[in-house]
Amino acid sequence: MARKFFVGGNWKMNGTKSEINDIVAFLKTGPLDPNVEVVVGVPAIYLTYVTSIVPGNVSVSAQNTYKVPKGAFTGEISPAMLLDNGIPWVILGHSERRNVFGETDELIAEKVQHALEAGLKVIACIGEKLEEREAGKTEEVVYKQTKAIADKIKSWDNVVLAYEPVWAIGTGKTATPQQAQEVHEKLRDWLSKNVNPDVSQTLRIIYGGSVTAGNAKDLAKEKDIDGFLVGGASLKPDFVQIVNARC
């Protein structure tokens, strides 16, 4: 069975209602390839607003959530709260959560586990830093991050795995299609050996790291790249071209 192409837009800490209206306008104008699953990751304070105005062919995702249903965790939101507000997706393990906010592989795995058990769908992010790539540790790092998640979850059915080399996020540097494909292929091989072959073949592995309208088509041609997680470009009309990269 073919893996459905998936494009996520991570707005990060950007947007006012006025700016969001502009983004929603170009999403509505599209046209967006109907064969692509499109999800936008929205700052928590705007989740319900975006849900109320986004076109029906675009889903809404939170950018983070915590590992328990409720409690004394000031500033956090839980999967239960997201679901109560009709939010079906969450992005977890983004490199900024790991490297700016110090989230560990273990914490991210616990968050993924709880989100899935609560009923959310998860975009789980992994990726190496520049010094790790230069030291030849790319595979070691991404396998370790993926294993932490694999050890905690029972099913990958509601997971999209996002490979995001940290050195290519917001830097203008992009992994070449061949570099990205190589890591995706190795991840699939690791999943086949360490999880099971069915997961390896059905799990969507998407690429994130300075994806633009200019490079999306070449990246989309690679057989193990099943879509993108897009940062800055998701705030601009170019996002439509990225969604339509396989057209």
Side-chain angles (χ1 to χ4, degrees):
M1 186 174 137
R3 298 181 295 268
K4 187 171 185 177
F5 207 67
F6 182 102
V7 177
N10 178 11
W11 295 358
K12 306 191 180 184
M13 196 176 71
N14 291 294
T16 60
K17 284 187 178 177
S18 174
E19 290 166 343
I20 287 168
N21 290 342
D22 292 342
I23 294 170
V24 170
F26 70 65
L27 290 173
K28 285 180 174 176
T29 300
L32 303 177
D33 182 346
N35 298 311
V36 177
E37 185 168 5
V38 182
V39 176
V40 290
V42 176
I45 198 167
Y46 294 123
L47 283 166
T48 51
Y49 179 67
V50 173
T51 300
S52 72
I53 60 172
V54 82
N57 56 348
V58 177
S59 294
V60 177
S61 173
Q63 297 177 6
N64 188 32
T65 189
Y66 199 50
K67 64 178 183 179
V68 294
K70 61 183 177 181
F73 303 102
T74 302
E76 293 291 333
I77 54 175
S78 71
M81 292 171 177
L82 293 177
L83 291 162
D84 193 39
N85 283 279
I87 310 302
W89 283 93
V90 65
I91 300 169
L92 293 171
H94 191 278
S95 65
E96 290 153 6
R97 299 305 313 175
R98 293 176 185 272
N99 300 315
V100 178
F101 298 101
E103 294 189 6
T104 62
D105 293 349
E106 178 71 12
L107 174 60
I108 291 160
E110 290 172 350
K111 287 163 69 164
V112 171
Q113 177 187 24
H114 178 60
L116 292 171
E117 289 175 352
L120 285 176
K121 292 180 276 191
V122 174
I123 302 167
C125 303
I126 59 171
E128 82 283 12
K129 294 184 279 194
L130 180 60
E131 59 268 29
E132 291 166 337
R133 171 166 278 267
E134 289 178 341
K137 293 183 176 179
T138 295
E139 292 162 51
E140 177 187 332
V141 171
V142 297
Y143 293 166
K144 179 173 174 284
Q145 292 170 342
T146 307
K147 183 179 187 302
I149 295 168
D151 286 348
K152 291 284 185 185
I153 68 174
K154 297 181 179 71
S155 169
W156 290 80
D157 290 351
N158 288 320
V159 179
V160 171
L161 190 64
Y163 168 59
E164 296 196 308
V166 181
W167 50 272
I169 298 174
T171 62
K173 296 178 181 178
T174 312
T176 65
Q178 295 74 29
Q179 284 175 318
Q181 164 60 23
E182 181 183 15
V183 176
H184 284 228
E185 187 175 21
K186 287 178 176 176
L187 278 166
R188 228 174 267 293
D189 183 58
W190 185 93
L191 287 161
S192 181
K193 292 173 180 172
N194 295 277
V195 180
N196 72 59
D198 287 344
V199 168
S200 169
Q201 290 308 306
T202 57
L203 179 68
R204 289 177 291 182
I205 305 177
I206 62 175
Y207 172 75
S210 296
V211 177
T212 67
N215 61 30
K217 279 191 178 295
D218 285 337
L219 286 161
K221 289 174 185 172
E222 299 294 335
K223 70 181 178 72
D224 289 304
I225 296 178
D226 302 314
F228 308 115
L229 185 57
V230 184
S234 68
L235 306 170
K236 304 169 187 172
D238 280 1
F239 184 62
V240 173
Q241 293 180 53
I242 296 171
V243 171
N244 297 337
R246 280 195 168 172
C247 289

